[in-house]
Amino acid sequence: MVRDYLRREAVFFVSSAIILFFIAIGAARPDLLDALSSAIHTAILDHFSWLYLISSFFFLLFAVGLALSKFGTIKLGHDAERPQYSFFGWIAMLFAAGMGIGLLFWGVSEPLIHYLQSPPFLTPETPAAAEFAMTYAFFHWGIHPWAIYTVVSLSIAYFSFRRGMPALISSCLYPVLGGRIYGPAGNLVDVLAVFATVFGTATSLGFGALQIHSGFTHLYGISSAISVTIGLIIIATALFMASAILGVEKGVQILSKINIILACALLLFLLALGPTPYLFNIFSSTLGGYINNIIDLSLQSYPFAGNEWSREWTVFYWAWWISWSPFVGLFIARISRGRTIREFVLTVLTVPPLFTFLWFSVFGGSALYLEQMPGVDLAAIAGNDVSFVLFVFLEHYPFSALLSLIAIFLLIVFFITSADSATVVLSSLTSGGSMIVPLYKKVFWALALSTVAIILLITGGLSALQVMAIMAAFPFMIVMILLCYTLTIGLAQESVRQ
Amino acid sequence: MFEKTLVPVASGERPGELSKIGFILKSLGSGSVCLFHVNEAASFFRGSDLSWLGPLAQALEDAGLSVETKTGNGHIASAIAEAALMEGADAVYMKAKRRWHLETMFLGSVSRDLLRLSDVPVFVHKLRPRLPDEEDRLGREDLIVLYATDFDAASVRPLPSVMEFQGARCHVLHVRGRMADPATERRRKEAVDRELHAVEEDLRPYFGWVTSEQRIGNPGAEVLRVSEQVSADIIVLGRKTPAFFSVPMGDTAERVVNESKASIFLVPHPGTPDGS
């Protein structure tokens, strides 16, 4: 009986043991953790940074290929099923799940940093550097992340809704593993998904906490010590743990909707009060450049000059999206039941990226506009403290204190909703795909997420967060390539099945 | 099946070898042989002297076969394939040479082209069954046949040929990919089992022992593995339309023909792009 229990709970025990081991090393020997993670991270980047680029481009081609193929008409569910959510509601949830904190964190700072610290083949702070900065901001936040999510969510949706299997990553590998998905091989795949989700989400929570702290420091002058950031994480943990345990799904949904409306309002406010035609020009020309150069951007690693830059930015982003993909993929799959593959892929690859492009045009474009004004040096601030620059940027608008408060509110709600969803997803992944999970698992994963974020912030701050995202994504990237293969097998068998 | 067999020969063939081939064809039911040679572009050394064909024909006649000798021109594999059709041959017999191990394992380009182009079945004789000595005959009672099928039109077509081989044992093998979910996999397995049992029943009158199995995996690798496990003498395969990305003959058939120690009887599928 005990043996059966251990076998059934293998994914939970193994993944929790790995996370606890990581936390223990981080708490006892942060220097050792830093050295170890840096060594693995360097090895991955030295040998496989190209693989991140090629795989992400392949995921994009795969997703588009599926949508345009004869498989595009296959429904993610039974043939007679209808979508559960309205189109607008679906889009809003897609967007909230896929980006959230990241847009606020990087919306202003990323274009500014590229502008100030461009790769060696570009002269910083020139029009060419500005164009490069905007193009790469579009590229990093454009259709590639959504293609990565699409691969995971399509696989989960297809194998669970259409093939009646549990909503687990291991279920999607049945065509190659067969009955072994119920044994160590399947467990390993689910453990990798848990590992990626914990570190991917912890990275985002770390970013969020840093920026919330910066906001409070900017507004109220509170201490910028790391202990305050940790305190903020502990408070937010109490909130999202309560939300996950009490199952206040409706409350979270309402908060998410309010967040989307507030984010849109903030965007429109900045667009209206900023240099509107200039921002639309940036949107239009950057979009053109992005579309025109998408193949080059996708595969470009600047091996002769700028490879380091490519690793620090593009590879980090691809790894981050991959590490988020089990969590976001499961969530998107759940809300997309009843839609066809074509509708799913084409919507996911167009609507959220278009909104993101507009976001970066407004936030990043306005920041670049302000940067060119005498006496404004946003780029230098972004170079020193990425999390701080948003609030300095908002100072240049009317009602800046209110805008900063809104930004902090957005960050807190994104933090809570993301962490709440991640807790539920992690609990489900470690409970055989069931949505009814024991309380202790929710508590464990909620605490684990926050503790990992705290440990990472203590050991190395922002760079430690980035290192862990890249490390956690690597094994899952291999799983994703397998997912493409098994999904193709499953779809090719549709005629046999019928 | 082998009533009239076309045997392509090239200069340098030894009459002793042809004699053994004659015995084996005789034991497989062949009555007549068309000895066929394709004249290559003018050879500096040989010219147009074809007198070397005489002793080869004699060796086959000594084995009790009626022999006619024909020659052709042009692309070798195309000429053989065309001659097999024009002469009304039931099959083409090819010997994978034993003198060099590599030649046994990897067929030459002519043989590969012929396997792809021929509209009549091709028998590629490999290490098994062993060529009989002069006084021996290939014993049908020891013959083990492996029939690989996936129940599509191309692989059902060789069934009558399997029956004609007769012999000690026939093992029917079905290799397929795994279905995408456990429930569909279970249903598929049951359906394949039913079909395999039906084929077993069809073959039972012709063999002393008929068995079947289904496997999941790569068809080429599984056919080769099972062929060694059952010590098959002959593998009977249907030739399929190759996939777009595969080499012209199709992955499975080519791999089996290249790597098998057992002989292969490859039956084309008329009406397909490479079989019509």
Side-chain angles (χ1 to χ4, degrees):
Chain A
M1 209 167 137
V2 174
R3 211 173 153 185
D4 279 351
Y5 174 75
L6 288 175
R7 191 179 298 155
R8 209 172 47 244
E9 297 291 340
V11 175
F12 176 70
F13 285 124
V14 174
S15 47
S16 53
I18 293 171
I19 303 299
L20 286 175
F21 178 71
F22 170 86
I23 292 171
I25 291 192
R29 292 284 310 277
D31 55 322
L32 180 67
L33 179 69
D34 190 34
L36 198 68
S37 57
S38 297
I40 299 172
H41 168 253
T42 308
I44 290 175
L45 284 188
D46 280 350
H47 297 100
F48 298 107
S49 57
W50 56 273
L51 190 57
Y52 284 93
L53 299 183
I54 290 178
S55 332
S56 300
F57 187 51
F58 168 72
F59 297 144
L60 175 62
L61 293 181
F62 178 78
V64 174
L66 271 191
L68 302 180
S69 73
K70 62 178 179 177
F71 303 131
T73 54
I74 292 173
K75 263 197 177 166
L76 300 173
H78 302 300
D79 288 335
E81 263 184 273
R82 294 198 164 276
Q84 280 179 312
Y85 300 95
S86 69
F87 189 76
F88 178 75
W90 179 53
I91 294 288
M93 282 191 277
L94 278 180
F95 185 75
M99 300 288 173
I101 292 172
L103 278 181
L104 281 161
F105 192 87
W106 294 109
V108 171
S109 56
E110 182 173 347
L112 283 176
I113 294 175
H114 294 336
Y115 178 68
L116 185 71
Q117 299 166 3
S118 44
F121 54 84
L122 268 179
T123 311
E125 298 182 71
T126 57
E131 191 183 328
F132 178 89
M134 285 311 299
T135 305
Y136 263 91
F138 271 40
F139 172 55
H140 291 151
W141 294 81
I143 58 175
H144 288 70
W146 293 97
I148 289 168
Y149 296 158
T150 297
V151 167
V152 179
S153 52
L154 264 187
S155 298
I156 294 171
Y158 177 77
F159 283 96
S160 62
F161 302 149
R162 202 162 170 89
R163 295 280 184 168
M165 298 182 74
L168 293 170
I169 305 293
S170 57
S171 301
C172 309
L173 296 185
Y174 183 83
V176 288
L177 293 178
R180 281 171 292 176
I181 60 163
Y182 307 114
N187 290 343
L188 174 69
V189 171
D190 290 331
V191 168
L192 290 177
V194 169
F195 186 65
T197 304
V198 168
F199 287 103
T201 315
T203 304
S204 298
L205 299 187
F207 287 159
L210 281 174
Q211 200 164 32
I212 293 167
H213 185 190
S214 295
F216 281 127
T217 304
H218 180 74
L219 280 180
Y220 306 113
I222 62 167
S223 161
S224 58
I226 187 81
S227 53
V228 179
T229 313
I230 294 170
L232 284 169
I233 292 180
I234 291 169
I235 294 168
T237 304
L239 289 171
F240 80 76
M241 196 157 69
S243 155
I245 291 169
L246 296 172
V248 284
E249 215 169 287
K250 275 199 173 170
V252 170
Q253 272 186 28
I254 292 167
L255 272 179
S256 296
K257 281 181 187 166
I258 292 173
N259 236 25
I260 295 292
I261 293 166
L262 270 179
C264 289
L266 187 63
L267 180 81
L268 291 175
F269 183 81
L270 296 185
L271 180 65
L273 291 191
T276 313
Y278 175 81
L279 298 181
F280 277 120
N281 276 326
I282 285 184
F283 175 78
S284 162
S285 57
T286 312
L287 186 61
Y290 171 70
I291 293 169
N292 200 29
N293 296 305
I294 192 155
I295 295 175
D296 182 37
L297 289 166
S298 302
L299 300 171
Q300 186 57 267
S301 63
Y302 302 112
F304 305 113
N307 184 243
E308 199 62 32
W309 185 92
S310 166
R311 283 169 170 207
E312 276 176 17
W313 285 98
T314 307
V315 174
F316 157 67
Y317 270 118
W318 285 186
W320 193 24
W321 302 133
I322 289 170
S323 65
W324 259 60
S325 64
F327 151 53
V328 179
L330 263 164
F331 176 76
I332 295 180
R334 206 164 282 157
I335 60 171
S336 306
R337 187 169 186 151
R339 298 194 183 271
T340 65
I341 288 179
R342 186 167 299 149
E343 181 185 10
F344 175 85
V345 174
L346 294 183
T347 309
V348 165
L349 291 188
T350 52
V351 182
L354 273 175
F355 182 83
T356 312
F357 295 154
L358 192 60
W359 183 278
F360 270 90
S361 300
V362 172
F363 280 76
S366 304
L368 287 173
Y369 179 81
L370 289 171
E371 181 66 20
Q372 286 156 24
M373 287 179 153
V376 179
D377 201 1
L378 286 172
I381 296 166
N384 286 332
D385 187 350
V386 182
S387 61
F388 207 70
V389 70
L390 171 69
F391 302 103
V392 180
F393 163 77
L394 291 175
E395 261 183 11
H396 294 86
Y397 289 86
F399 314 112
S400 63
L402 178 65
L403 292 179
S404 293
L405 269 178
I406 289 172
I408 292 171
F409 177 79
L410 284 172
L411 282 163
I412 292 172
V413 175
F414 273 138
F415 188 115
I416 291 169
T417 51
S418 299
D420 175 11
S421 309
T423 305
V424 172
V425 164
L426 284 168
S427 306
S428 173
L429 276 175
T430 51
S431 305
S434 168
M435 285 308 290
I436 302 160
V437 289
L439 183 66
Y440 73 90
K441 283 189 184 172
K442 284 185 180 176
V443 173
F444 176 83
W445 288 120
L447 291 176
L449 280 175
S450 300
T451 316
V452 169
I454 291 170
I455 292 280
L456 289 175
L457 284 173
I458 292 171
T459 50
L462 195 66
S463 63
L465 296 171
Q466 293 179 327
V467 165
M468 286 316 294
I470 290 174
M471 272 174 60
F474 184 70
F476 197 70
M477 178 170 60
I478 312 294
V479 173
M480 284 185 64
I481 294 168
L482 275 175
L483 290 183
C484 295
Y485 176 62
T486 53
L487 182 60
T488 312
I489 292 178
L491 293 171
Q493 287 176 3
E494 278 291 317
S495 54
V496 179
R497 192 167 158 260
Q498 279 159 8
Chain B
M1 173 173 59
F2 286 101
E3 184 55 36
K4 183 173 184 179
T5 311
L6 186 128
V7 180
V9 285
S11 157
E13 297 276 359
R14 290 175 300 182
E17 196 82 356
L18 259 287
S19 177
K20 289 180 179 180
I21 290 170
F23 289 132
I24 205 163
L25 286 176
K26 187 80 181 162
S27 59
L28 287 171
S30 186
S32 65
V33 166
C34 175
L35 206 56
F36 187 73
H37 171 68
V38 182
N39 292 312
E40 294 172 67
S43 163
F44 176 77
F45 296 105
R46 208 173 51 250
S48 57
D49 177 22
L50 296 172
S51 59
W52 54 274
L53 278 168
L56 300 181
Q58 187 58 49
L60 288 171
E61 279 171 3
D62 291 346
L65 296 162
S66 73
V67 181
E68 55 179 328
T69 305
K70 299 272 180 182
T71 58
N73 291 296
H75 178 248
I76 300 174
S78 305
I80 296 171
E82 190 184 343
L85 208 59
M86 300 301 287
E87 296 300 324
D90 299 301
V92 176
Y93 175 95
M94 286 201 309
K95 178 78 190 83
K97 290 179 182 166
R98 279 187 194 178
R99 276 173 289 176
W100 298 286
H101 181 65
L102 273 178
E103 271 194 71
T104 309
M105 301 310 286
F106 300 100
L107 294 178
S109 63
V110 173
S111 314
R112 284 173 50 158
D113 284 352
L114 179 60
L115 285 163
R116 181 170 57 86
L117 295 170
S118 176
D119 285 339
V120 299
V122 178
F123 185 83
V124 184
H125 195 159
K126 303 201 75 178
L127 298 177
R128 292 195 303 264
R130 191 180 60 81
L131 274 176
D133 293 330
E134 204 160 319
E135 59 275 12
D136 291 344
R137 291 290 183 272
L138 178 71
R140 286 277 189 108
E141 61 279 5
D142 298 326
L143 202 66
I144 298 173
V145 174
L146 172 66
Y147 170 39
T149 177
D150 56 8
F151 303 126
D152 65 357
S155 61
V156 165
R157 189 174 157 76
L159 189 58
S161 307
V162 179
M163 292 168 176
E164 284 190 53
F165 271 113
Q166 302 181 6
R169 181 186 177 187
C170 180
H171 188 70
V172 187
L173 173 67
H174 177 85
V175 188
R176 62 183 174 85
R178 185 180 280 106
M179 303 308 287
D181 65 89
T184 316
E185 171 63 27
R186 198 169 48 248
R187 284 199 299 275
R188 181 77 176 141
K189 186 175 184 303
E190 286 166 3
V192 170
D193 273 339
R194 279 196 298 275
E195 293 200 60
L196 281 173
H197 285 132
V199 175
E200 265 189 60
E201 289 306 314
D202 289 344
L203 292 171
R204 221 173 285 286
Y206 303 94
F207 291 88
W209 184 27
V210 182
T211 49
S212 70
E213 70 174 306
Q214 58 172 307
R215 288 192 173 208
I216 289 170
N218 176 282
E222 293 301 327
V223 168
L224 290 167
R225 195 170 294 137
V226 174
S227 142
E228 288 310 299
Q229 279 170 3
V230 302
S231 302
D233 293 304
I234 298 167
I235 301 169
V236 181
L237 290 169
R239 191 182 71 201
K240 293 178 125 182
T241 310
F244 180 75
F245 288 111
S246 72
V247 285
M249 201 176 74
D251 287 337
T252 304
E254 180 173 6
R255 184 169 176 194
V256 172
V257 170
N258 275 335
E259 297 178 27
S260 169
K261 290 178 184 166
S263 298
I264 290 93
F265 189 69
L266 194 67
V267 181
H269 183 216
T272 57
D274 63 349
S276 56

